[in-house]
Amino acid sequence: RNWTISGMPKNSFRRRCASLHTCLVLSLLLFSIIHNTRASVTLNLLDYGAVPNDSVDDTQPMKKALTECSLQGGCTLEIPRGLFIIQPINLTSNLFLRLSHKTILLSANLSISSWPIESPFPTYDQTLKRALGNRLGPVIGGHNLTNVTIHGGTIDGGGHRWWPYSTQIEEEFRLTRPILLEFVSGSGLRFEELTP
């Protein structure tokens, strides 16, 4: 007997269910592949030349590790305990940035010439854009990133080092001083167990 459900013929209903089941299985499989790829690739910042507590800039090793992470389609990037000095840096998607609870990422760069210049926030109206002008980029940031987690450790933007120069930066260079973290138009961003 050819019964219907909500006006849908029996055979059509079965085909629709089979199609939905196939889509569900494929979606779960794709999620599993992406998740396992990220989880199975673990990088350590020390393997890219970073040395903790040596007062040497660790930005280039960080960039190398993030480039490798991006090529792998995502990763867990481990930064062990110790002090690491960084300049402004952009993260990559599908990243689990795992800091030891005794890891410190320190921004110690006060040279304006080496900081990226960002345009005013899109949410600023024209009055604010004219008043504030451009701004120095964040210590750690990114645009259109997805699935990024920063877990543990301390990120020290060195704000107290900037305070004496804030007025000079704004008046002489028409820039606002950098902020610590800035992610624009992203999704799936998580911050866990950061030490204040």
Side-chain angles (χ1 to χ4, degrees), residues 138-150:
V139 176
I140 295 177
H143 291 258
N144 303 308
L145 299 184
T146 58
N147 303 323
V148 173
T149 298
I150 301 178

Side-chain angles (χ1 to χ4, degrees), residues 48-179:
Y48 294 85
V51 178
N53 308 314
D54 66 348
S55 301
V56 175
D57 191 334
D58 297 295
T59 304
Q60 289 308 312
M62 187 80 166
K63 287 184 176 180
K64 289 179 182 177
L66 290 170
T67 297
E68 178 64 23
C69 183
S70 179
L71 292 174
Q72 294 288 344
C75 74
T76 294
L77 176 56
E78 296 183 340
I79 304 182
R81 63 188 297 169
L83 176 67
F84 297 88
I85 297 174
I86 60 170
Q87 296 189 39
I89 197 162
N90 286 324
L91 301 185
T92 186
S93 292
N94 301 318
L95 169 68
F96 190 95
L97 185 61
R98 182 161 57 202
L99 284 63
S100 161
H101 69 285
K102 291 189 176 180
T103 299
I104 299 175
L105 297 183
L106 173 65
S107 172
N109 179 17
L110 290 178
S111 173
I112 293 177
S113 61
S114 62
W115 279 75
I117 305 297
E118 300 277 352
S119 58
F121 283 112
T123 53
Y124 285 179
D125 60 24
Q126 291 302 318
T127 302
L128 275 176
K129 288 179 179 179
R130 285 193 298 270
L132 298 178
N134 293 329
R135 55 200 172 85
L136 296 176
V139 176
I140 295 177
H143 291 258
N144 303 308
L145 299 184
T146 58
N147 303 323
V148 173
T149 298
I150 301 178
H151 177 93
T154 299
I155 302 175
D156 184 351
H160 64 282
R161 299 181 182 89
W162 286 96
W163 296 336
Y165 303 101
S166 292
T167 301
Q168 177 187 0
I169 293 172
E170 292 175 5
E171 294 181 353
E172 183 175 342
F173 299 98
R174 284 190 52 77
L175 297 168
T176 52
R177 68 183 178 88
I179 60 177

